Amino acid sequence: MQSLMLRALKAHMVLLLSSVMFFTTGCEDDSHDDHDEEHTDADGFILEDESGTEIYREFEGAMTGGVALSVGETLELSVHFLDHEGNEIEHGDDHEEEEEEDHEDGLAISVLDPNIATVEVEHDHGHAIHVVGVSSGSTSFQLQLMHEGHADYTSTNNVPVTVNQ
């Protein structure tokens, strides 16, 4: 009798858990019809300098490169997000204009030691940041791609920054 009751309970639990998974996947706020189209499913990103040279890459947790600059120097870096195959995710002009107008969406930066380097988001140029060397030393920063108050992507590693005299 207990065995029969346990089987019935297991079946109900599987059904319940499956239902919960279907309802909790995706964004919680479905008030926008085109919300899924705006959601970025990134697995990494690239930082490129003004000449288009890749200086840092993070993809599926693996990283290469780092940011190096001198005290008083400012680097403008473009940020390119990568899909699950490592290809750049293309954003239309309309999406970038929305990000410029709504600073809740776009990039967010957390710098470990702003006494060594500061990192600021450049809202006028899509996904771009400015790194400024403040004093000699090493620090790092975390990058997030924000969308409607939550992060669509958060870097798994802190981006290393070295500031030389």
Side-chain angles (χ1 to χ4, degrees):
M1 182 79 165
Q2 273 186 329
S3 176
L4 185 59
M5 192 166 117
L6 285 175
R7 277 191 199 155
L9 185 60
K10 283 182 184 179
H12 284 96
M13 289 300 291
V14 168
L15 180 63
L16 177 66
L17 289 175
S18 297
S19 298
V20 168
M21 285 179 51
F22 283 120
F23 286 112
T24 59
T25 56
C27 288
E28 293 176 17
D29 181 14
D30 291 331
S31 61
H32 301 293
D33 292 336
D34 59 347
H35 181 75
D36 290 336
E37 293 174 14
E38 295 175 8
H39 195 79
T40 303
D41 186 20
D43 288 313
F45 68 98
I46 297 171
L47 296 178
E48 291 181 349
D49 64 14
E50 291 175 296
S51 67
T53 302
E54 180 180 307
I55 64 165
Y56 179 83
R57 173 186 289 259
E58 177 179 296
F59 181 64
E60 295 180 337
M63 59 177 254
T64 58
V67 178
L69 68 164
S70 299
V71 173
E73 183 180 6
T74 299
L75 289 179
E76 183 174 328
L77 304 174
S78 58
V79 182
H80 304 277
F81 290 94
L82 305 174
D83 65 16
H84 67 279
E85 294 177 358
N87 299 317
E88 182 178 345
I89 298 171
E90 297 293 331
H91 290 286
D93 292 336
D94 293 340
H95 186 66
E96 288 180 7
E97 287 174 14
E98 289 173 15
E99 287 178 7
E100 291 172 15
E101 294 171 8
D102 184 3
H103 297 300
E104 245 183 47
D105 290 354
L107 300 176
I109 304 291
S110 301
V111 180
L112 184 63
D113 189 349
N115 294 317
I116 295 177
T118 60
V119 183
E120 299 171 348
V121 175
E122 177 60 50
H123 293 287
D124 296 334
H125 295 102
H127 293 139
I129 59 174
H130 289 159
V131 182
V132 179
V134 177
S135 65
S136 183
S138 296
T139 188
S140 61
F141 66 90
Q142 182 180 57
L143 182 137
Q144 291 183 311
L145 178 60
M146 302 300 292
H147 178 71
E148 295 186 0
H150 69 273
D152 275 359
Y153 176 80
T154 301
S155 59
T156 55
N157 300 293
N158 285 346
V159 178
V161 178
T162 303
V163 180
N164 301 307
Q165 277 297 17

